């Protein structure tokens, strides 16, 4: 298929992919020839020679076989090779060749994996921080990957859509380990279409969405995970540090589960920021009020520096569509009477209900670890008036509503806020782990880079991001909410519950990894923040991946990403911030249209 597309290019390019069949037995020659003709395959059959002599003559960038001994010999002789496995596989694209690669031991050498296996996680993270400015050596499949990149450039140079799509699917976490991987790509003039830094999460579910024609990994456990999800997995036996899958906890939990969190921005060692001092005074006043109260059974309110305050409107917590219709069509008095008539009938859950339930589970877990520390206890009824004053008084970390006007007002006042949208179908969500997914630009970060994309195009954007890679992006409207979640996560880490932490965060961005990913990761690190998984989709749709992640809520500033999430069952929240509000599906709207959106 790729060869056919190459022939169709103008000017035409001769076939660049040559496939050579190495028979296991010369007695099969007639049968092989018949099958090759039957399937109309353009394949050469190699002459009979000793195996390694034949490889040196053919010089393949990739050798695939079910014979693991031959594969090991090929890798030992410097050829890219992998062992294939039989299985029941899903259907694949007939128009785009999709190839997914692990990083360490496949595209890169196993030098970092060696540190992890021999010295442990802390030594691995320290090594990646120390060596962040140094590229990794390339691994056994570098030649094959480079060949795919060259072919992609042929299509790019002729302004044609490439029929080749590559993916990096790695267990590395999105901090220094990811930055070092991205630096390795850049310094070798390589680019991958999409990159998934999974922080130890299973690869199989992500691969099931990608549906690559083949996935390469040096860990057999990940190959098995691919096979279980209908994906063709190929094992790269990079023998130096290829550890057995029987060591499940050490092998599966690859170098990523125990990332260290830096201190949050604004906090010095041995001291506190001015904002912390103010919060301490507020806390002291509230504490004195509760200490002097008559009852001693009521839990103390959470300390502001430790609490996370999330405000939700009643119409997002409960399904009040019918009640809203009564209010709009029949007026306030009839609305009040209607509510009284049905006061004994519970509302059905609203769009933010699963998110709130997951938050309450986090609260329950925290109370087990820190008795009397946190509680959800306050609500206010504004009668439809602006809630901004209350949001400020409660030092709200996040405000969710179905009223876009109130959400815009909150963002204008510096409060993290988003407009909730129901999903078209319902995905089954975790009862034990709160999962929150964020877009990057104009959500966690400012829209400064997005402005360049919209006004000057992608090439200028890539140059800009490379030039300012070491300059942190300005913060966006939801940075403080990620920061609040990070504080809660560290409470669990302090009790040695990192792996079982009931909070998991995701960065799901349209940015590409090698060209524009490093600045994002360095910005998060400069803030003292991290996410559990970072997914760089290079413009690919977000909906299918979100469907597999199944977050309780996904934040994005672009309505077409919100719609894509909704269609596949993800509860999405629109952040009306930045230049993206002036565009719809990539096209700039007229001023009046933009205001309507």
């Amino acid at each position: 298929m790729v060869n056919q597309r190459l022939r169709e290019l103008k000017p035409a390019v001769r076939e660049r992919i040559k496939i050579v069949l190495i028979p296991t037995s010369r007695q099969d020659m007639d049968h092989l020839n018949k099958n090759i003709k039957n399937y109309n395959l353009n394949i050469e059959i190699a002459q009979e020679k000793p195996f390694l002599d034949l490889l040196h003559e053919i010089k393949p960038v990739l050798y695939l076989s079910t014979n693991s001994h031959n594969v090991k010999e090929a890798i030992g002789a410097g050829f890219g090779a992998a062992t294939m496995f039989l299985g029941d596989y899903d259907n694949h694209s007939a128009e785009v060749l999709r190839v997914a690669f692990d990083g360490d031991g496949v595209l890169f050498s196993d030098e970092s994996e060696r540190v992890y296996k021999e010295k442990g996680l802390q030594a691995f993270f320290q090594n990646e921080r120390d060596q962040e400015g140094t590229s990794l050596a390339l691994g056994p499949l570098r030649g094959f990957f480079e060949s795919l990149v060259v072919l992609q450039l042929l299509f790019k140079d002729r302004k044609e859509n490439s029929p080749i799509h590559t993916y990096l699917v790695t267990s590395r976490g999105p901090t220094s380990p990811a930055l070092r991987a991205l630096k390795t790509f850049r310094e070798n003039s390589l680019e991958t279409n999409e990159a998934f830094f999974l922080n130890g999460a299973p690869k199989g579910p992500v691969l099931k969405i990608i549906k690559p024609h083949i996935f390469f990994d040096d860990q057999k456990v990940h190959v098995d995970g691919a096979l279980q999800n209908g994906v063709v997995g190929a094992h790269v036996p990079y023998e130096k540090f290829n550890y057995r899958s029987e060591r499940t906890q050490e092998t599966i939990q690859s170098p990523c589960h125990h990332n260290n969190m830096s201190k949050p921005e604004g906090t010095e060692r041995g001291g506190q920021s001015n904002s912390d001092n103010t919060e301490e005074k507020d806390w002291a006043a509230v504490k004195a009020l509760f200490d002097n109260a008559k009852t001693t059974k009521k839990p103390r309110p959470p300390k502001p520096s430790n609490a996370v305050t999330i405000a939700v409107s009643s119409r997002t917590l409960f399904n009040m569509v019918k009640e809203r219709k009564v209010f709009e069509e029949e007026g306030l008095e009839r609305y009040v009477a209607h509510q009284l008539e049905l006061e004994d009938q519970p509302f059905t859950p609203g769009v933010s209900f699963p998110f709130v339930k997951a938050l309450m589970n986090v609260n329950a877990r925290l109370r087990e670890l820190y008795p009397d520390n946190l509680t959800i206890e306050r609500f206010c009824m504004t009668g439809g008036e602006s809630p901004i004053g209350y949001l400020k008084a409660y030092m709200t970390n996040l405000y969710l509503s179905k009223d876009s006007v109130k959400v815009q007002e909150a963002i204008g006042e510096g409060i993290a806020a988003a407009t909730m949208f129901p999903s078209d179908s319902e995905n089954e969500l975790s009862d034990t782990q709160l999962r929150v997914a964020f877009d990057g630009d104009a959500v966690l970060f400012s829209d400064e880079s997005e402005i360049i994309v919209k006004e000057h195009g992608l090439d200028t954007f890539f140059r800009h991001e490379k030039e300012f890679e070491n300059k942190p992006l300005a913060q966006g409207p939801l940075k403080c909410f990620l920061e609040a979640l990070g504080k809660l996560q560290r409470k669990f880490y302090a009790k040695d519950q990192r792996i079982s932490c009931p909070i998991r965060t995701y960065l799901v961005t349209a940015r590409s990894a090698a060209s524009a990913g490093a600045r994002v990761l360095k910005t998060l690190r400069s803030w003292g923040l991290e996410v559990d998984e970072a997914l760089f989709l290079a413009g690919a749709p977000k909906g299918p991946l979100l469907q597999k992640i199944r977050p309780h809520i996904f934040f994005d500033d672009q309505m077409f990403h919100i719609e894509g999430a909704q269609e596949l069952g993800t509860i999405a929240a629109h952040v009306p911030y930045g230049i993206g509000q002036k565009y719809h599906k990539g096209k700039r709207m007229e001023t009046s249209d933009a205001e309507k959106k």
Side-chain angles (χ1 to χ4, degrees):
M1 174 263 293
V2 176
N3 273 340
Q4 177 62 33
R5 284 288 308 278
L6 285 167
R7 288 194 297 270
E8 293 171 356
L9 287 176
K10 296 180 180 179
V13 177
R14 65 182 176 84
E15 290 187 359
R16 293 295 185 97
I17 300 177
K18 181 179 180 180
I19 301 173
V20 179
L21 178 65
I22 300 177
T24 55
S25 170
R26 289 294 145 182
Q27 284 71 35
D28 295 332
M29 290 294 291
D30 290 341
H31 188 59
L32 287 171
N33 276 312
K34 287 179 182 178
N35 277 276
I36 288 171
K37 291 178 181 177
N38 182 54
Y39 286 103
N40 195 28
L41 299 175
N42 187 7
I43 293 178
E44 294 182 16
I45 299 180
Q47 300 299 313
E48 187 172 5
K49 281 187 179 181
F51 175 65
L52 287 181
D53 290 345
L54 193 56
L55 290 186
H56 283 294
E57 179 181 301
I58 298 171
K59 295 182 174 59
V61 294
L62 179 66
Y63 169 64
L64 299 175
S65 176
T66 56
N67 186 324
S68 60
H69 174 75
N70 283 356
V71 168
K72 291 176 184 177
E73 270 199 298
I75 288 179
F79 296 99
T83 307
M84 302 289 290
F85 297 90
L86 299 176
D88 296 323
Y89 302 127
D90 294 340
N91 293 326
H92 300 95
S93 170
E95 297 178 353
V96 178
L97 171 64
R98 295 173 178 165
V99 187
F101 300 85
D102 178 32
D104 298 280
V106 178
L107 290 182
F108 316 131
S109 74
D110 58 353
E111 58 192 90
S112 294
E113 206 156 28
R114 180 189 315 185
V115 175
Y116 166 59
K117 297 293 185 182
E118 295 184 349
K119 299 181 181 179
L121 281 164
Q122 296 306 318
F124 165 79
F125 287 120
Q126 188 61 52
N127 178 73
E128 295 307 285
R129 281 192 290 270
D130 294 344
Q131 300 295 324
E132 188 179 299
T134 305
S135 292
L136 291 154
L138 294 180
L141 261 62
R142 64 168 291 179
F144 178 50
F145 188 82
E146 287 174 341
S147 298
L148 294 177
V149 172
V150 169
L151 292 174
Q152 287 178 312
L153 289 173
L154 289 173
F155 290 95
K156 183 179 180 181
D157 289 345
R158 289 161 174 78
K159 295 181 170 51
E160 294 279 348
N161 291 328
S162 173
I164 302 170
H165 211 80
T166 59
Y167 305 82
L168 173 67
V169 183
T170 172
S171 293
R172 285 178 171 245
T175 49
S176 293
L179 287 167
R180 195 175 183 201
L182 297 181
K183 182 178 181 62
T184 302
F185 272 108
R186 285 199 312 275
E187 293 208 345
N188 288 279
S189 300
L190 302 176
E191 176 70 277
T192 180
N193 295 101
E194 300 181 33
F196 300 86
F197 295 96
L198 299 184
N199 208 5
K203 298 180 181 181
V206 172
L207 293 167
K208 189 174 181 67
I209 295 172
I210 295 171
K211 290 187 176 180
H213 292 82
I214 191 167
F215 165 62
F216 298 96
D217 203 294
D218 69 313
Q219 301 280 354
K220 186 63 167 60
V221 66
H222 293 310
V223 174
D224 291 341
L227 296 172
Q228 291 163 13
N229 282 273
V231 172
V232 179
H235 182 229
V236 181
Y238 199 40
E239 280 299 326
K240 285 186 181 179
F241 296 93
N242 207 309
Y243 286 70
R244 292 182 302 162
S245 61
E246 285 84 349
R247 299 175 61 185
T248 52
Q249 287 307 309
E250 290 187 42
T251 304
I252 297 173
Q253 311 293 348
S254 49
C256 41
H257 271 297
H258 304 279
N259 296 354
N260 288 330
M261 296 288 289
S262 306
K263 284 185 77 66
E265 184 183 29
T267 304
E268 302 288 335
R269 287 188 180 271
Q272 292 177 308
S273 67
N274 292 334
S275 61
D276 283 343
N277 289 331
T278 303
E279 287 183 352
E280 289 294 333
K281 292 177 183 177
D282 292 339
W283 162 245
V286 176
K287 178 177 179 295
L289 176 65
F290 270 74
D291 285 344
N292 295 327
K294 293 181 179 180
T295 177
T296 58
K297 294 181 180 180
K298 186 176 179 64
R300 292 177 178 176
K303 190 173 180 179
S305 61
N306 297 327
V308 175
T309 304
I310 296 172
V312 297
S313 71
S314 57
R315 286 199 294 142
T316 65
L317 185 58
F318 302 113
N319 185 341
M320 300 179 66
V321 173
K322 293 179 180 178
E323 287 73 16
R324 184 68 180 177
K325 186 176 180 181
V326 171
F327 174 76
E328 292 177 346
E329 295 181 358
E330 302 181 44
L332 179 59
E333 295 303 320
R334 178 62 193 129
Y335 170 77
V336 173
H338 175 78
Q339 295 286 60
L340 289 172
E341 291 168 7
L342 302 176
E343 64 180 348
D344 292 330
Q345 297 182 17
F347 288 115
T348 56
V351 65
S352 70
F353 193 87
F355 176 56
V356 172
K357 287 282 287 183
L359 287 167
M360 294 183 72
N361 175 65
V362 173
N363 255 353
R365 288 281 305 277
L366 280 167
R367 281 197 296 270
E368 293 171 4
L369 299 176
Y370 303 89
D372 298 325
N373 188 280
L374 286 176
T375 178
I376 296 177
E377 61 178 58
R378 290 183 288 193
F379 68 93
C380 65
M381 303 173 70
T382 65
E385 298 300 320
S386 172
I388 297 301
Y390 298 97
L391 298 177
K392 289 182 175 179
Y394 290 157
M395 290 179 280
T396 302
N397 297 98
L398 177 66
Y399 170 56
L400 300 174
S401 175
K402 295 186 80 172
D403 190 326
S404 60
V405 174
K406 291 177 182 176
V407 166
Q408 288 176 329
E409 186 181 0
I411 287 179
E413 292 292 331
I415 298 166
T419 309
M420 297 290 292
F421 289 90
S423 58
D424 294 347
S425 58
E426 291 187 7
N427 288 331
E428 185 177 344
L429 303 176
S430 173
D431 293 327
T432 58
Q433 186 178 61
L434 169 65
R435 298 175 184 173
V436 184
F438 299 88
D439 178 31
D441 296 285
V443 175
L444 292 179
F445 317 118
S446 74
D447 64 342
E448 57 190 91
S449 294
E450 199 154 25
I451 290 173
I452 294 173
V453 174
K454 301 294 188 187
E455 297 186 350
H456 303 288
L458 274 173
D459 289 340
T460 302
F461 165 74
F462 290 139
R463 288 196 298 271
H464 178 270
E465 293 305 285
K466 185 176 181 179
E467 181 180 354
F468 293 98
E469 178 183 315
N470 294 314
K471 179 181 178 182
L473 291 153
Q475 72 178 50
L478 260 64
K479 180 248 188 179
C480 63
F481 181 50
L482 176 63
E483 189 172 40
L485 292 177
K487 287 181 180 179
L488 292 181
Q489 286 178 309
R490 286 193 290 277
K491 287 180 176 292
F492 291 96
Y493 303 163
K495 297 290 185 177
D496 197 28
Q497 293 196 16
R498 179 180 285 269
I499 293 177
S500 61
C501 179
I503 303 171
R504 194 166 182 86
T505 56
Y506 304 80
L507 172 66
V508 183
T509 172
R511 283 177 175 244
S512 61
S515 301
R519 191 180 184 195
V520 162
L521 299 178
K522 289 183 177 181
T523 297
L524 288 173
R525 189 175 58 186
S526 74
W527 293 345
L529 299 178
E530 66 178 36
V531 290
D532 292 296
E533 297 184 31
L535 312 174
F536 295 92
L537 302 186
K542 299 181 180 182
L545 193 66
L546 291 167
Q547 186 181 35
K548 189 57 65 175
I549 292 173
R550 297 188 178 184
H552 291 85
I553 192 168
F554 164 60
F555 298 97
D556 204 292
D557 67 308
Q558 305 272 3
M559 272 306 298
F560 69 90
H561 288 311
I562 298 293
E563 292 162 358
Q566 285 179 278
E567 289 171 2
L568 294 175
T570 297
I571 297 171
H574 180 234
V575 182
Y577 175 83
I579 193 172
Q581 310 316 303
K582 298 179 181 179
Y583 287 78
H584 183 61
K585 294 184 178 180
K587 295 182 179 180
R588 189 177 182 93
M589 298 180 291
E590 299 296 330
T591 304
S592 57
D593 292 335
E595 289 172 353
K596 289 177 185 177
K597 291 284 180 185

